[in-house]
Amino acid sequence: MANLIRPLILCGGAGTRLWPLSRDSLPKQFAPLLGERSSFQETALRVRGAGFCNRPLVVTNRAHRFLVERQLAEIDVEADIVLEPCRRESGPAILAGCRVVVPDAADDPMLVVAADHVVRDAAAFRAAAVAGSAAAAAGYLVTFGITPTHPATEYGYIE
């Protein structure tokens, strides 16, 4: 049987891009912008099901701990939580999550996702992650993306 995918949800952010709705005390991933649930809750629900382990790992800032716990309870999802002492961007957050997960599941593939992404087709996302897990288990780094619809210089370009 293939190893289960361990989701690592990056849930930081300063809450500055959608001010005043999004702010330091309530970054955009915790606000219900596109429906009844927040994008963090949608992300936690998206990484459940066949091929995934039952407990995602959430890396978040200490200031957001209670938001994370409350929003997970609202959707009946249990998770392990790593609290960052201060913001250090994605790379250090991923490393912190890996240091927590690896001792328990060194051979299991890990799926790193951002809490503020919108994914319209959750089933297709899960299928792609499960399909990529075989390559990840073989030691490859697997990345996912979408076909761009317009130039977005804030994200850069890959050619």
Side-chain angles (χ1 to χ4, degrees), residues 5-6 9 52 71 79 88 108 110 120 122 124 136 144 146:
I5 300 168
R6 180 71 187 256
I9 302 172
F52 291 88
Q71 289 203 358
R88 291 286 185 238
D108 292 349
M110 181 179 290
R120 300 271 184 226
F144 299 93
I146 60 170

Side-chain angles (χ1 to χ4, degrees), residues 11-16 23-24 27-30 60-61 64 84 87:
C11 199
T16 58
R23 54 200 178 280
D24 194 42
K28 67 183 177 293
Q29 67 266 22
F30 297 115
T60 192
N61 188 293
H64 303 141
E84 299 175 299
R87 289 186 192 106

Side-chain angles (χ1 to χ4, degrees), residues 64-124:
H64 303 141
R65 173 186 179 185
F66 297 110
L67 279 169
V68 166
E69 290 175 344
R70 185 182 78 235
Q71 289 203 358
L72 287 171
E74 288 172 1
I75 58 171
D76 197 28
V77 172
E78 293 184 0
D80 297 316
I81 300 171
V82 173
L83 300 175
E84 299 175 299
C86 59
R87 289 186 192 106
R88 291 286 185 238
E89 302 301 327
S90 299
I94 293 168
L95 177 61
C98 289
R99 300 231 351 141
V100 169
V101 170
V102 168
D104 294 332
D107 294 329
D108 292 349
M110 181 179 290
L111 176 67
V112 179
V113 294
D116 61 351
H117 287 182
V118 174
V119 175
R120 300 271 184 226
D121 190 343

Side-chain angles (χ1 to χ4, degrees), residues 18 28-29 31-35 37-44 46 113-123 125 145-146 155:
L18 292 176
K28 67 183 177 293
Q29 67 266 22
L33 299 175
L34 299 174
R37 293 189 287 251
S38 69
S39 62
F40 167 66
Q41 289 174 313
E42 292 293 343
T43 300
R46 188 168 44 252
V113 294
D116 61 351
H117 287 182
V118 174
V119 175
R120 300 271 184 226
D121 190 343
F125 174 85
I146 60 170
Y155 296 109

